[in-house]
Amino acid sequence: MNDDLLARVQRLEDLEAIRRLKSEYARTCDLGADPDALLALFAPDGDVVWRSNVFGEHQGREAIHKWFSGVAGMMPWAAHFMVNPVIGVAPSGDTAHGRWDLLEFTTMTRTDGSGEYEPVVMTGWYSDEFRKVGGKWYFGTIDIAMQQMSGWHEGWVREPHRGGDPLVVAAGRALR
């Protein structure tokens, strides 16, 4: 096999590994957002970040673990649909960038402080950075720009930003 063909096959394997990593992230979030399982998807070395325009920035392994430790209480059920992936692997073969669109149905705590839950629909755009460490792909950065979060009963026309502007929705939750 020539070197060009080997490089092309490796690139295809890398793209598939990154798709599977993103799928594992979504499924792990949907199955209760286990903080240990989610943290294992992030690179074991260097800086790692999970960031959202709604849920804040969590930089470093400890901060990411702390954030996901509280997600199940705020969001006990979710179904992430990651669509329209666009992935680019750097020529070096050890870093990559990926974009996904998100459609998510979830159960979240109400914004009125009652402690009750309500059905919510969210849409957003993921922009992620990946690193290959020891032949395996990991997240370096997950960055989700939420486009809308709407109570199911109100809908995205009447309530495009559940609880207010996306920059302030759930800001207090991001710090818990």
Side-chain angles (χ1 to χ4, degrees):
M1 223 181 244
N2 68 34
D3 289 345
D4 181 54
L5 184 56
L6 287 173
R8 290 170 51 203
V9 169
Q10 182 60 59
R11 182 178 179 281
L12 291 173
E13 288 179 351
D14 288 339
L15 293 173
E16 183 58 23
I18 291 167
R19 280 188 195 93
R20 285 185 190 164
L21 176 64
K22 188 65 173 187
S23 179
E24 187 174 348
Y25 166 80
R27 180 58 51 99
T28 303
C29 287
D30 293 347
L31 294 175
D34 179 289
D36 294 326
L38 286 161
L39 193 58
L41 304 177
F42 283 85
D45 62 345
D47 291 334
V48 291
V49 177
W50 188 94
R51 168 186 314 121
S52 165
N53 63 326
V54 171
F55 299 109
E57 181 168 320
H58 310 281
Q59 188 164 6
R61 297 180 67 75
E62 185 177 317
I64 292 168
H65 190 276
K66 182 178 178 185
W67 160 246
F68 280 113
S69 292
V71 167
M74 171 184 65
M75 200 178 307
W77 178 85
H80 289 70
F81 296 90
M82 306 290 190
V83 297
N84 302 327
V86 177
I87 305 166
V89 177
S92 65
D94 59 359
T95 62
H97 176 82
R99 288 188 343 236
W100 280 261
D101 295 345
L102 169 70
L103 172 61
E104 181 178 349
F105 301 99
T106 187
T107 301
M108 291 185 76
T109 53
R110 296 179 55 89
T111 58
D112 63 8
S114 67
E116 295 178 10
Y117 292 106
E118 71 175 319
V120 174
V121 62
M122 300 182 200
T123 60
W125 300 326
Y126 276 98
S127 179
D128 301 334
E129 299 293 331
F130 303 91
R131 291 200 300 268
K132 194 175 193 181
V133 179
K136 184 177 176 185
W137 284 98
Y138 296 93
F139 289 102
T141 299
I142 294 177
D143 191 341
I144 175 67
M146 300 305 295
Q147 299 305 300
Q148 64 76 220
M149 283 177 53
S150 307
W152 184 258
H153 300 294
E154 290 299 318
W156 48 89
V157 173
R158 288 183 293 199
E159 184 185 54
H161 305 299
R162 178 180 174 264
D165 184 276
L167 296 178
V168 297
V169 171
R173 293 185 194 130
L175 302 175
R176 288 183 192 164

